[in-house]
Amino acid sequence: MFYLGNRHFTFFTEKAMPLSRFNKIQLGVFPTPIHKLPRLSAHLGGPQIYIKRDDLTGLALGGNKTRKLEYLLADALAKDSDCIITAGAAQSNHCRQTAAAAAMLGLECHLVLGGQAPNVANGNLLLDQLFAAHIHWSGDKRKGEDIPNIVAALREQGRNPYVVPYGGSNMIGSLGFINAFYELHAQCKDAAMPAEFSDIVFASSSGATHCGLVLGKEVCNVSSRIIGINIDKDEQGKDSYKSQLHTLIKDTANKLAVGYPADIDEIQLKDDYIGAGYGVVGELEREAIALCAQLEGILLDPVYTGRAMGGLIDMIRKGSFSADSNVLFWHTGGAPALFSYAEVLQQVD
Ligand SMILES: *Cc1c(COP(=O)(O)O)cnc(C)c1O
């Protein structure tokens, strides 16, 4: 059943029991579709590739943050908050979806964005403005460094602000992706689907998607490999990201009283694809975006899914998957950022 704009709390069926005591609001259109990518699979000559279309979550051009926000903003409402604050890059998909959800709920939204205001607001930033988000540019400061000051100023005005963490990634945000795994598991009951996927591949950056899929696999008791493609953590940052991820998994599992893979080495994070760093488009992303567009009519994004699909394509070419495996690529959204990358993506003859 589709209902967009339903602001009531949703209750879960018995199967989703570990999540049933958490507040949730409906912000998107679920379940998102799953389908095969037949022409890309044939082109690569490897495993059968399927795609989970979280680019179609229905909230303001879609994306994975919708799932996290269904829990985070329910928590904000339960705490009687009247304004939402979060942070991200200028082209943050997370900030765009947060601004849209806040507008939908009638909450004021403050975004702390990295760097300076550009001359022209396009892509996600244009959309943030359309949702009338209050934008605070962080300049040379770290993203989010100003959040405590903004919170204090709002409290001073008698407001009750709610801080959504970077990328929506904390225990509450992770619930959205445990729920997503239940959704996937239910879709796999369809005879046209594999009973379970051998591998699930996705972009991993702030962690709640990764955490939720790892725990979702546990609660649904399936054996899929959960393979995150590291988007932006370099040699110095990758170990601390992995231990942060491990802590998030452990804490969320404890909160839900479910089992979890105790060993940090069981977390699969592929570190080979960060290229020249966050948001820098290279040949890997360019080829993945072109192949998906030209063979399947599907838009990837320059920062996350272009890189994650580039990683998957490389792994397929290197023989990481047997030909009879069923690999699910979890499309996490992001296409609105394509327009702000026109200069690096356009084809000039
Ligand atoms: C935020 C984001 C991700 C990363 O998800 P995390 O839960 O932050 O790891 C992947 N893809 C897109 C398009 C995103 O916006």
Side-chain angles (χ1 to χ4, degrees):
M1 193 194 302
F2 292 169
Y3 35 91
L4 193 58
N6 173 354
R7 284 147 203 198
H8 301 286
F9 289 75
T10 303
F11 296 98
F12 283 95
T13 57
E14 201 181 324
K15 222 160 60 62
M17 270 315 266
L19 301 180
S20 59
R21 66 195 163 89
F22 296 95
N23 294 323
K24 177 175 179 281
I25 45 169
Q26 186 129 18
L27 297 171
V29 181
F30 297 105
T32 57
I34 302 182
H35 58 86
K36 286 184 183 174
L37 296 179
R39 283 168 39 79
L40 181 66
S41 303
H43 176 83
L44 295 170
Q48 185 63 248
I49 310 169
Y50 290 73
I51 191 166
K52 175 74 167 152
R53 301 292 303 273
D54 272 10
D55 54 325
L56 301 178
T57 59
L59 176 69
L61 304 180
N64 64 339
K65 304 308 182 303
T66 307
R67 295 186 182 275
K68 308 177 188 185
L69 289 164
E70 291 199 324
Y71 286 91
L72 289 161
L73 295 194
D75 188 45
L77 291 180
K79 293 181 167 135
D80 286 327
S81 298
D82 55 9
C83 48
I84 304 296
I85 304 167
T86 197
Q91 282 299 327
S92 166
N93 300 302
H94 163 66
C95 289
R96 178 245 313 159
Q97 287 164 89
T98 303
M104 192 168 156
L105 299 171
L107 302 170
E108 188 173 291
C109 182
H110 290 258
L111 301 176
V112 185
L113 302 182
Q116 322 279 347
N119 292 333
V120 179
N122 62 13
N124 284 305
L125 179 59
L126 172 65
L127 304 184
D128 296 341
Q129 293 181 350
L130 294 180
F131 296 122
H134 298 254
I135 294 171
H136 308 259
W137 291 98
S138 66
D140 296 332
K141 283 179 267 180
R142 276 183 303 107
K143 279 179 295 224
E145 197 176 324
D146 280 332
I147 285 185
N149 293 335
I150 297 168
V151 166
L154 287 164
R155 289 222 172 96
E156 200 117 300
Q157 294 163 28
R159 310 297 300 271
N160 181 14
Y162 184 90
V163 177
V164 171
Y166 188 70
S169 285
N170 61 8
M171 284 191 272
I172 296 174
S174 300
L175 302 177
F177 265 88
I178 298 174
N179 193 43
F181 211 104
Y182 281 114
E183 178 183 304
L184 172 69
H185 197 51
Q187 287 174 308
C188 286
K189 301 270 188 283
D190 187 315
M193 285 289 150
E196 63 180 65
F197 289 96
S198 58
D199 304 86
I200 300 177
V201 178
F202 56 95
S204 181
S205 178
S206 73
T209 302
H210 203 146
C211 168
L213 293 179
V214 165
L215 292 178
K217 166 196 155 144
E218 295 298 318
V219 293
C220 292
N221 197 23
V222 298
S223 57
S224 314
R225 289 195 297 173
I226 306 297
I227 304 173
I229 305 291
N230 174 6
I231 294 301
D232 53 355
K233 309 304 182 298
D234 62 11
E235 249 349 272
Q236 279 76 49
K238 67 183 204 217
D239 289 342
S240 86
Y241 177 55
K242 209 164 171 183
S243 70
Q244 209 182 303
L245 205 49
H246 189 231
T247 304
L248 182 61
I249 292 169
K250 215 163 41 182
D251 290 350
T252 309
N254 289 339
K255 197 176 170 86
L256 295 174
V258 298
Y260 69 101
D263 188 352
I264 189 165
D265 293 327
E266 286 189 39
I267 299 174
Q268 296 212 41
L269 184 70
K270 295 284 173 215
D271 296 317
D272 304 326
Y273 305 111
I274 64 164
Y278 181 81
V280 182
V281 170
E283 257 331 290
L284 182 94
E285 295 79 22
R286 214 183 289 276
E287 189 204 11
I289 291 169
L291 283 179
C292 283
Q294 293 164 24
L295 296 173
E296 300 287 355
I298 286 179
L299 295 172
L300 301 177
D301 82 285
V303 181
Y304 297 95
T305 53
R307 183 161 289 177
M309 179 58 92
L312 172 58
I313 290 169
D314 182 66
M315 288 165 71
I316 290 172
R317 286 179 176 149
K318 289 183 172 149
S320 306
F321 306 97
S322 64
D324 62 354
S325 49
N326 292 306
V327 177
L328 180 69
F329 179 75
W330 203 299
H331 192 325
T332 45
L338 280 171
F339 303 102
S340 69
Y341 279 77
E343 281 177 29
V344 292
L345 290 171
Q346 68 188 332
Q347 286 161 24
V348 185
D349 300 317

